[in-house]
Amino acid sequence: QVELMESGGDSVQAGGSLRLSCVAGANYAYTTGRYCMGWFRQAQGKGREGVAAITTNTGSTYYHDSVKGRFTITQDKAKNTIYLQMSNLKPEDTAMYYCATGRGVGSTNTCAGDVVYGQGTQVTVSS
């Protein structure tokens, strides 16, 4: 089973920035055939939506339209870690953010295929 550990969630004011981190356990990618890591979020009372994804073998990145130009996903392969740099945060970005890994990128530009999620880290943006 893949282990994912998120960190970096916090409460900030609108216009602020945060960086989320996610470390994948040792049994990731090459032993499990998972080549996508990414972030999903779920606001209270709403469904989970994909925010950003990166293919770990090619470095290709994918973003939800609502975060393009504000969020950047990067990876440090040596550390099995991905980051989500979030800038110009808006109140509508408030949600629990989940790190995820899957076998590839699906039709919605998010990780898909036997997706495993972390426990989540809370991001709260006040106006």
Side-chain angles (χ1 to χ4, degrees), residues 5 24 30-31 41 45 62 68 74 81-82 99 101 115 127:
M5 183 66 70
Y30 302 109
T31 57
R41 67 185 179 187
Y62 305 82
K68 285 181 180 177
T74 57
T81 300
I82 63 167
C99 180
T101 183
V115 178
S127 57

Side-chain angles (χ1 to χ4, degrees), residues 40-51 64 92 94-96 98 117:
F40 288 73
R41 67 185 179 187
Q42 187 167 17
Q44 196 166 9
K46 296 187 177 180
R48 190 173 294 181
E49 66 176 4
V51 176
H64 190 277
E92 51 265 42
T94 295
M96 184 71 78
Y98 298 90
Y117 298 95

Side-chain angles (χ1 to χ4, degrees), residues 31-67:
T31 57
T32 64
R34 299 172 187 278
Y35 294 97
C36 180
M37 287 191 75
W39 295 92
F40 288 73
R41 67 185 179 187
Q42 187 167 17
Q44 196 166 9
K46 296 187 177 180
R48 190 173 294 181
E49 66 176 4
V51 176
I54 186 167
T55 52
T56 58
N57 50 349
T58 66
S60 298
T61 57
Y62 305 82
Y63 297 97
H64 190 277
D65 285 346
S66 67
V67 306

Side-chain angles (χ1 to χ4, degrees), residues 3-124:
E3 296 178 351
L4 301 171
M5 183 66 70
E6 306 100 330
S7 62
D10 205 345
S11 297
V12 297
Q13 291 194 328
S17 299
L18 282 175
R19 189 178 82 156
L20 306 183
S21 300
C22 173
V23 180
N27 287 330
Y28 164 72
Y30 302 109
T31 57
T32 64
R34 299 172 187 278
Y35 294 97
C36 180
M37 287 191 75
W39 295 92
F40 288 73
R41 67 185 179 187
Q42 187 167 17
Q44 196 166 9
K46 296 187 177 180
R48 190 173 294 181
E49 66 176 4
V51 176
I54 186 167
T55 52
T56 58
N57 50 349
T58 66
S60 298
T61 57
Y62 305 82
Y63 297 97
H64 190 277
D65 285 346
S66 67
V67 306
K68 285 181 180 177
R70 300 188 299 122
F71 290 12
T72 302
I73 186 169
T74 57
Q75 65 172 339
D76 183 334
K77 295 177 71 173
K79 296 181 179 180
N80 274 347
T81 300
I82 63 167
Y83 304 95
L84 186 68
Q85 179 66 47
M86 306 186 293
S87 302
N88 191 22
L89 283 160
K90 303 176 181 181
E92 51 265 42
D93 294 318
T94 295
M96 184 71 78
Y97 282 71
Y98 298 90
C99 180
T101 183
R103 301 200 180 280
V105 179
S107 59
T108 56
N109 285 347
T110 57
C111 290
D114 196 16
V115 178
V116 174
Y117 298 95
Q119 295 298 307
T121 185
Q122 178 68 37
V123 172
T124 303

